[in-house]
Amino acid sequence: MGYNPCMRYRRLDLNLLVALNALLEESSVSRAAERLNLGQSATSAALGRLREHFQDPLLLPVGRGLQPSPLARQLAPRVRELLAMTDELVATTADFDPARCERCFTLVASDYVAATLIPAVSRALSCLAPEASLVVRDLSLSRDGDQVAEALEYRRSDLAIVPQRRINTAYPHAALLDDELCCIVCAEHWPEGQTLDLSRFREGQHVLREFADGQTLSLDTQHLKDIGLERRVVATVQSFVLMAEFVIGTPRIATLFRRQAEALARRYPLRVLLAPIAFPPAAQALQWHPQQASDPVLAWFRQLLLEQAAQL
């Protein structure tokens, strides 16, 4: 929702609520200005008008930054809910026609999901809703580890796709995609007929997918840690796709999701092998904000994601 001063209610320019929401979420005039596409002076002026209306400083200087006042902390969730309801109201139509949809859908997903599912979703969107657009954001790591709230609240994405073990039960969710972990090896170094047993897995050289913070563990790493099995890691990358590049031409082993492993094996000289360990199922879940649950446009897009996932 953009900022466009015009409408007043009880002497308050209602568009100032957009500025208030940005200011309270960012706790920074400069970041709020960037988010609102306003100059810093105009955003400061909006804060001044809000302070005058509420008879409260709203943002208080603390050290080198700003912190919301007690009143601002009370206002923040109510303003956010009001704006979400307004967005939903504006988006509501009696009969939703995808062919006339001009919405920009934003979703947060891992590089595995982005490579495995989202291209098919994008092709379907191009066919069914050619005027719509799609933004795919990385599944970033939040300071408190809550990737779902980070995606849906702070990053204001429409949807988040996360591993089943990382869902936030405060948000609606639906099972989206099931997969399993397997291993890829270079076909030159692992000719047909060779299998991967536990001994070779233990003693082999491994390529590992690691998250940006260096602390959040991948599904295979967490499971191996839980069962007390160590492996020799010789290369660490931050993308599942890159794992293939670090395996080719070497005797190395990489553990990743079967759907992506098979896709990589169609493009590279790789073999897909059964993992010698019973890893937990690798399931992905779709989550969205409860305030957007009845948005007919997002409901249609969620169904599109579920249908495309079912066809994989």
Side-chain angles (χ1 to χ4, degrees):
M1 180 180 289
Y3 177 76
N4 180 25
C6 60
M7 181 67 182
R8 290 183 176 275
Y9 182 75
R10 295 188 178 180
R11 296 179 298 166
L12 175 66
D13 177 352
L14 294 183
N15 290 281
L16 283 173
L17 295 178
V18 180
L20 177 60
N21 185 58
L23 286 161
L24 296 184
E25 288 192 352
E26 302 293 346
S27 291
S28 164
V29 173
S30 59
R31 289 198 300 270
E34 182 178 354
R35 175 170 158 181
L36 294 165
N37 293 318
L38 287 176
Q40 191 162 336
S41 60
T43 306
S44 295
L47 177 57
R49 294 161 65 191
L50 286 162
R51 284 169 166 166
E52 181 180 356
H53 177 83
F54 289 104
Q55 295 294 296
D56 186 87
L58 298 177
L59 291 174
L60 301 166
V62 177
R64 296 184 178 181
L66 297 172
Q67 293 292 331
S69 69
L71 176 62
R73 283 194 289 269
Q74 294 179 38
L75 290 173
R78 297 160 67 183
V79 171
R80 185 165 56 246
E81 182 178 359
L82 176 61
L83 293 180
M85 291 174 62
T86 303
D87 278 339
E88 183 177 328
L89 176 64
V90 171
T92 300
T93 57
D95 297 302
F96 171 61
D97 181 3
R100 294 187 295 176
C101 177
E102 298 180 353
R103 184 95 164 243
C104 177
F105 298 103
T106 60
L107 62 87
V108 168
S110 69
D111 60 315
Y112 155 68
V113 173
T116 303
L117 171 63
I118 306 306
V121 173
S122 180
R123 289 189 290 271
L125 198 63
S126 176
C127 176
L128 299 172
E131 299 302 316
S133 56
L134 178 63
V135 174
V136 183
R137 298 169 175 164
D138 291 335
L139 190 62
S140 64
L141 299 163
S142 63
R143 284 172 291 183
D144 61 2
D146 189 344
Q147 295 174 308
V148 176
E150 173 79 9
L152 300 180
E153 300 287 357
Y154 181 74
R155 302 176 76 187
R156 301 176 298 282
S157 300
D158 294 318
L159 299 166
I161 300 173
V162 296
Q164 184 73 28
R165 68 189 190 280
R166 299 193 186 281
I167 64 171
N168 183 330
T169 55
Y171 298 85
H173 66 278
L176 180 67
L177 192 63
D178 289 322
D179 210 333
E180 64 178 2
L181 288 172
C182 63
C183 297
I184 56 171
V185 294
C186 176
E188 177 186 353
H189 288 265
W190 293 72
E192 287 292 336
Q194 285 195 13
T195 58
L196 180 60
D197 59 23
L198 183 57
S199 176
R200 297 189 75 176
F201 185 88
R202 283 175 178 269
E203 298 169 3
Q205 301 177 359
H206 289 263
V207 177
L208 177 66
R209 199 279 199 218
E210 185 177 83
F211 292 92
D213 66 349
Q215 298 177 3
T216 302
L217 303 181
S218 60
L219 178 61
D220 56 313
T221 301
Q222 182 64 60
H223 182 67
L224 293 178
K225 181 180 179 182
D226 291 343
I227 65 175
L229 191 151
E230 295 186 1
R231 57 184 165 178
R232 181 186 172 195
V233 178
V234 297
T236 302
V237 297
Q238 292 186 10
S239 165
F240 287 108
V241 173
L242 280 176
M243 297 176 90
E245 299 284 359
F246 283 75
V247 164
I248 295 170
T250 76
R252 295 170 179 168
I253 305 162
T255 304
L256 71 168
F257 302 103
R258 177 168 292 279
R259 283 192 174 90
Q260 193 160 34
E262 292 176 346
L264 291 170
R266 290 192 289 269
R267 295 161 49 193
Y268 298 99
L270 298 169
R271 289 187 61 213
V272 180
L273 302 178
L274 287 173
I277 296 167
F279 287 108
Q284 302 285 327
L286 178 65
Q287 295 213 255
W288 57 94
H289 202 287
Q291 293 173 357
Q292 295 178 311
S294 59
D295 183 334
V297 183
L298 285 181
W300 174 83
F301 185 58
R302 290 196 299 270
Q303 186 60 36
L304 179 67
L305 279 162
L306 294 169
E307 290 173 356
Q308 292 303 311
Q311 294 178 26
L312 291 179

